[in-house]
Amino acid sequence: MMGLCESDAGGWTAWPPHEHAEKREEVYVYFNMGNAFGVQCFIEFTIVIENSNIKGESNMNLSITISSPGSKFAPIVLQGEYITQIYKAKEIGYKAVELHIRDPKTINHSSIMQAIKENNLSVSAIGTGQAYVDDKIYFTSIDKKIRSAAVQRIKDQIDLASKLNSKVIIGTIKGILPEDKNGRVVAIERATACLKECAEYAKYKKVNLVLEAINRYETNFLNTAKQTVEFIEKIDSSVIGLHLDTFHMNIEEKLIGQVIKEYSSYLAYLHFADSNRLSPGLGHLNFSEIILALKEINYNGYIGVEALPLPDPYSAAKQALSCIVKLCN
Ligand code: LER
Ligand code: MN
């Protein structure tokens, strides 16, 4: 689509309604904008992932979490406007990013894809927890409208993931369970139906979902690797894998390395944070044992650093990278 757009100074707008390369390529020429004029081009492209392995014998890939500002969800290392943070991730030395997005319909896909491409980065996964934390939508809700909104949100994330060639994390959006036994059974059935619908759509879009085990202080639904794997088996979809997070495992599991090995055939994604949710090496988790277990199972998926941005985002991101690279070598 092409357009000639007459406007005022600073008024970048085009008519008829445009979509910034969601479905078509577009070119606009802006004129009569004071002493400025502009040419704007949008072109659809898909990001092709190149493997970005940490040096050493292992085949592990490290990714850093990024989210837009203003979310109540705290353990994200790089917070702020996506494009700036993408450049920062590259500058610090990461080859992949994990993007936490509240609602993909409210962000500019093309400019994010452009920044990812310019920096030769991969997108390991899209984090979806903000939908639960900030918008209160989740799969176990008693309210059909809330459940449908949660499913639709994940479908929108799947659409974006198919362009970014990334996975979609199903974490806190799965929700919580009521206390009574019957209520729990019904809530699990609701979550099952929601996840099945998302999985079917993901399969159609050739996107993989990863289901995260989260500790008991954040949810009472799927806390351990065992519970999560049993649920994955029940859903019975080829596109859902197990997502483990060392911070949650430290609370829920007896031996982290052993659990990684036990469920290796399901393991599709990892979050790394230390016992205190700081970057690896700043708490008391035994990351050499964890890396050893990952090497033993020949894990070749991504490890997303999902840690608090402390003492500051730059130091937290650097600390995680140097700690893990050192342990992998
Ligand atoms: C929640 O604590 C968490 O670990 C996130 O990855 C959830 O999406
Ligand atoms: Mn996590």
Side-chain angles (χ1 to χ4, degrees), residues 32 42 53 111 118 126 142 190 240 244 262 265 280 282 310:
N32 251 356
F42 298 95
N53 301 334
S111 59
E118 276 167 13
I126 298 177
I142 195 162
R190 290 188 193 118
I240 306 180
L244 295 175
E262 189 172 346
S265 59
L282 299 180
L310 297 171

Side-chain angles (χ1 to χ4, degrees), residues 18-68:
H18 54 296
E19 53 178 25
H20 289 187
E22 287 291 309
K23 297 193 190 84
R24 54 173 87 99
E25 290 164 12
E26 296 163 76
V27 180
Y28 302 103
V29 176
Y30 298 84
F31 63 100
N32 251 356
M33 300 173 66
N35 59 1
F37 75 96
V39 180
Q40 200 179 19
C41 306
F42 298 95
I43 186 158
E44 171 91 67
F45 58 85
T46 303
I47 290 177
V48 179
I49 286 199
E50 282 169 33
N51 264 346
S52 49
N53 301 334
I54 298 169
K55 281 197 214 96
E57 310 150 41
S58 86
N59 197 28
M60 280 172 265
N61 308 309
L62 203 60
S63 170
I64 188 80
T65 45
I66 291 180
S67 90
S68 58

